[in-house]
């Protein structure tokens, strides 16, 4: 059975929507016996949006044979007017991710409109 590690600093307290999503996902993986506490033990690495980009890049270099899945959160161009952060997220997705999780169909459409290849 494949093991999954979440490369994200999950806060146990209430700490934003992305944190709540990752905490819930981790709990489900733990309940199903597929969560790896250590990145070394995982087959799949799940990372989120713009968080811990440096750690994700280092992990991709160190573990090029692991599968990296990118959970995309807000489209910052629309939520905050931040096109720069969206460009960083899109570049991370194009260079690191083997797969992408979109939080909604709307979000998927909007991120493609601003530059993520389909």
């Amino acid at each position: 059975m494949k093991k999954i590690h979440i490369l994200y600093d999950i806060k146990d307290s209430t700490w934003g929507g992305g944190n709540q999503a990752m905490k819930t996902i981790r709990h489900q993986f733990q309940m199903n016996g597929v969560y790896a506490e250590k990145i070394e033990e995982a087959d799949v690495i799940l990372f989120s949006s713009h968080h811990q980009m440096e750690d994700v890049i280092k992990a991709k270099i160190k573990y090029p044979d692991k599968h990296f899945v990118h959970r995309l959160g807000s489209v910052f161009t629309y939520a905050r007017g931040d096109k720069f952060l969206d460009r960083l997220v899109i570049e991370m997705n194009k260079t690191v991710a083997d797969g992408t999780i979109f939080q909604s169909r709307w979000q998927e459409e909007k991120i493609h409109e601003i530059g993520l290849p389909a």
Side-chain angles (χ1 to χ4, degrees), residues 4-13 15-31 35 37 44-52 56 68-73 101-103:
I4 303 163
H5 177 77
I6 298 175
L7 184 51
Y8 182 90
D9 186 19
I10 297 172
K11 310 281 188 224
D12 288 327
S13 62
W15 192 270
N19 183 73
Q20 296 308 104
M22 296 305 257
K23 189 163 55 169
T24 300
I25 291 168
R26 180 184 63 184
H27 178 72
Q28 288 301 312
F29 289 159
Q30 289 169 330
M31 296 296 291
Y35 189 68
E37 293 292 337
V44 177
I45 311 303
L46 176 61
F47 66 103
S48 184
S49 186
H50 63 288
H51 299 280
Q52 295 176 253
V56 172
F68 284 72
V69 177
H70 194 184
R71 178 202 171 267
L72 295 181
I101 298 171
F102 298 99
Q103 67 182 20

Side-chain angles (χ1 to χ4, degrees), residues 51-115:
H51 299 280
Q52 295 176 253
M53 287 183 173
E54 186 176 335
D55 293 337
V56 172
I57 292 166
K58 287 179 182 178
K60 182 70 171 185
I61 292 167
K62 187 171 183 176
Y63 304 106
D65 295 331
K66 293 185 187 291
H67 299 281
F68 284 72
V69 177
H70 194 184
R71 178 202 171 267
L72 295 181
S74 296
V75 181
F76 298 104
T77 300
Y78 296 101
R80 300 180 192 166
D82 191 341
K83 293 178 183 179
F84 178 76
L85 191 51
D86 277 331
R87 285 194 297 271
L88 284 176
V89 169
I90 288 168
E91 195 59 33
M92 281 292 286
N93 191 273
K94 291 185 333 190
T95 58
V96 176
D98 299 300
T100 306
I101 298 171
F102 298 99
Q103 67 182 20
S104 70
R105 179 72 63 209
W106 177 90
Q107 186 247 9
E108 180 180 6
E109 291 170 5
K110 295 303 178 190
I111 200 80
H112 286 306
E113 284 177 12
I114 62 172

